[in-house]
Amino acid sequence: MQQKLTEDKSIYLQISQMIETDILRGILLEEERVPSTNELAKLYTINPATAAKGVNILVDEGILYKKRGIGMFVANGAVEKIRIRRKNAFYQMRLTELLTEARSLGISKDELIAQIMREEL
Amino acid sequence: MSFLRCENLSKSYGQKVVLNELNLELESGKIYGLIGRNGAGKTTMLSIMSNQNPTSSGMVTLDGDNIWENRKALDRICFSRELNITAESGLAAYTVKRYLGAAALYLPHWDKEMAAHLMQSFQLDPKAKLGKLSKGMLSMVTIIVAMASKAEFTFLDEPVAGLDVVAREQFYKLLLDEYTETGRTFVISTHIIEEAADVMEEVIILNKGKIILKENTQDLIDRACYVTGLAEQVDQAVSGLECHHPESLGRSKGVTVLLKSGEHIGSGFDVTVQPLNLQKIFVALCGEEAQ
């Protein structure tokens, strides 16, 4: 959790994405405790309710789970879940952005597909 | 849970109406940010909410009881005003220590140790006279009064005015420390909106004596956006939505949109939709006449 907050996205989304990235990078391991909302609030100088909102997104996704009275932990299988979640987000967000830009440039669907086919993945 | 309410609050000074039939409900356990332009009525509102100033009409209640000259209610409220040192006020000759000692007399939950600790961490000389302090140092004194008051409802008027960036950061950390530890309710007025935005759970916008908005800060930022493009395209994309502060340049147009739940910017139009920070939302809502 060392990244800096930026201005172009909701703070709570940034918090949830930072935790996700830490899980993907093996900085936070499955079944390990993550920082509390109060710890996150103080670290990033944000309201604890905002930090909690970011953490709760991951609880709803089943990436974190609560142990009553102890704290928040990384769930088993979290790494795989994050991959799937980010893949969906990629299709929903980035692809829409790409298509909007293509539309204003007058790029046709065929032209776009042809361009993608030329790229290596 | 406790509630501090302004009910149809009005305040006039002679012909000048400062607060106009204002209604506001503060729920305990939150950090509120109070923002508004100069002269919007922020200080007047906070002074009335702490019984330092009578209303012209309407009232303020704490858990249903009128706070006016109500010692029991007032013991739970502290308004740490901005210190204006003038010759008449007689404050200039007070030392920091004597001033804090005087404040302690009025504040039943005063934490002497905390006050001493904060004086040290702000590097304030207890023997310094208020008249000799810089604007930033006076702000530190008001912060100490607010924090050490330990009041359940604590109001700070422009606490970061004149503070350098390091001291401002120190203040926000101190605020969060105290808040996470005690769950006290804070109302903080500020003109440095962007810095404070992340710390406030809810934002209250006061404009021309009325509350024009009170909302969870993140929810407000989430539903606000700036739409730009060819004027006709923009007009169609935002048709029927709540729009503020339209700006035109040649054929292009930009407009701030506040989406209600379930609404979205019309699709299929060649427009750019950008997120807005709190400061820009504020300007769009309150900067109309300044164009």
Side-chain angles (χ1 to χ4, degrees):
Chain A
M1 303 297 288
Q2 295 298 321
Q3 300 163 59
K4 297 269 179 234
L5 295 174
T6 64
E7 253 204 24
D8 52 2
K9 203 187 283 173
S10 299
I11 307 289
Y12 61 89
L13 289 177
Q14 294 185 55
I15 293 291
S16 74
Q17 282 167 6
M18 278 186 215
I19 296 173
E20 278 187 355
T21 304
D22 278 5
I23 294 170
L24 282 179
R25 287 179 177 163
I27 294 170
L28 289 169
L29 301 176
E30 293 184 355
E31 297 302 335
E32 204 170 64
R33 193 180 82 87
V34 300
S36 72
T37 52
N38 281 351
E39 285 165 343
L40 290 170
K42 285 183 211 169
L43 181 61
Y44 291 107
T45 329
I46 58 172
N47 193 284
T50 311
K53 203 169 171 182
V55 167
N56 284 334
I57 291 173
L58 299 179
V59 173
D60 291 344
E61 301 266 340
I63 289 163
L64 300 181
Y65 70 96
K66 262 178 218 170
K67 270 191 200 169
R68 203 171 276 275
I70 307 177
M72 213 63 86
F73 287 76
V74 181
N76 227 329
V79 174
E80 191 51 32
K81 267 196 183 126
I82 294 166
R83 281 216 183 92
I84 294 168
R85 187 178 178 277
R86 290 219 171 163
K87 204 164 148 182
N88 290 339
F90 171 76
Y91 284 129
Q92 277 164 18
M93 300 289 298
R94 302 277 171 85
L95 205 56
T96 313
E97 265 171 40
L98 186 82
L99 292 176
T100 306
E101 178 71 0
R103 221 170 276 137
S104 45
L105 293 176
I107 297 171
S108 73
K109 210 171 188 175
D110 290 340
E111 202 180 335
L112 192 62
I113 290 168
Q115 188 66 32
I116 291 169
M117 295 308 282
R118 273 198 288 276
E119 297 288 331
E120 272 187 54
L121 204 68
Chain B
M1 190 173 296
S2 289
F3 291 95
L4 187 59
R5 288 191 187 91
C6 296
E7 299 174 15
N8 297 316
L9 211 65
S10 291
K11 178 73 183 180
S12 306
Y13 294 105
Q15 293 292 308
K16 187 164 168 43
V17 179
V18 180
L19 300 180
N20 186 6
E21 296 277 314
L22 177 151
N23 285 289
L24 177 68
E25 179 180 280
L26 300 183
E27 188 187 302
S28 63
K30 287 184 179 173
I31 300 177
Y32 293 93
L34 174 62
I35 59 179
R37 300 196 60 197
N38 293 323
K42 300 184 295 290
T43 306
T44 303
M45 186 182 91
L46 293 177
S47 66
I48 291 174
M49 289 175 78
S50 53
N51 192 57
Q52 295 186 7
N53 198 346
T55 63
S56 300
S57 67
M59 63 175 172
V60 179
T61 62
L62 177 56
D63 294 332
D65 298 326
N66 193 334
I67 67 158
W68 182 247
E69 294 185 344
N70 174 348
R71 182 48 36 209
K72 222 175 108 199
L74 294 175
D75 280 353
R76 299 165 64 190
I77 302 168
C78 169
F79 176 28
S80 188
R81 280 170 166 273
E82 227 178 326
L83 275 170
N84 290 314
I85 307 297
T86 54
E88 312 81 83
S89 72
L91 282 174
Y94 271 63
T95 62
V96 172
K97 196 177 167 198
R98 188 168 157 224
Y99 180 75
L100 292 178
L105 294 177
Y106 294 96
L107 297 163
H109 310 291
W110 185 256
D111 185 336
K112 202 176 168 185
E113 268 173 43
M114 187 186 207
H117 167 75
L118 288 177
M119 235 185 318
Q120 211 170 31
S121 73
F122 282 135
Q123 296 175 321
L124 270 179
D125 176 7
K127 291 193 208 84
K129 291 208 163 63
L130 294 186
K132 300 276 185 215
L133 296 186
S134 69
K135 171 97 183 112
M137 286 164 159
L138 288 173
S139 290
M140 289 172 187
V141 175
T142 67
I143 290 169
I144 294 174
V145 170
M147 289 299 160
S149 77
K150 291 281 173 179
E152 200 179 324
F153 288 86
T154 305
F155 311 151
L156 290 110
D157 198 10
E158 290 285 335
V160 298
L163 291 185
D164 68 53
V165 63
V166 177
R168 294 206 296 272
E169 189 75 9
Q170 196 184 351
F171 165 69
Y172 298 127
K173 296 255 186 223
L174 168 67
L175 175 69
L176 285 171
D177 268 343
E178 181 64 12
Y179 173 70
T180 52
E181 217 163 278
T182 64
R184 289 165 65 185
T185 308
F186 290 95
V187 181
I188 292 148
S189 81
T190 185
H191 288 300
I192 310 184
I193 297 172
E194 252 341 271
E195 260 184 26
D198 297 345
V199 173
M200 32 174 124
E201 180 166 351
E202 286 195 23
V203 57
I204 300 164
I205 301 183
L206 184 60
N207 196 32
K208 295 176 189 159
K210 273 190 181 298
I211 303 291
I212 60 165
L213 187 141
K214 173 181 174 280
E215 188 172 350
N216 178 287
T217 313
Q218 299 303 318
D219 290 349
L220 174 64
I221 292 169
D222 279 352
R223 70 188 187 92
C225 59
Y226 193 64
V227 182
T228 46
L230 192 68
E232 298 122 50
Q233 291 279 315
V234 171
D235 286 339
Q236 289 178 59
V238 304
S239 151
L241 303 173
E242 183 186 338
C243 296
H244 295 275
H245 209 311
E247 292 168 300
S248 295
L249 183 66
R251 293 189 185 87
S252 80
K253 183 174 180 177
V255 66
T256 297
V257 180
L258 290 183
L259 295 167
K260 289 179 187 68
S261 167
E263 286 182 347
H264 46 80
I265 303 294
S267 58
F269 300 104
D270 187 14
V271 293
T272 306
V273 181
Q274 292 169 298
L276 285 170
N277 63 22
L278 185 60
Q279 178 159 317
K280 289 188 176 132
I281 298 168
F282 173 72
V283 171
L285 292 176
C286 299
E288 239 111 2
E289 71 275 20
Q291 280 178 49

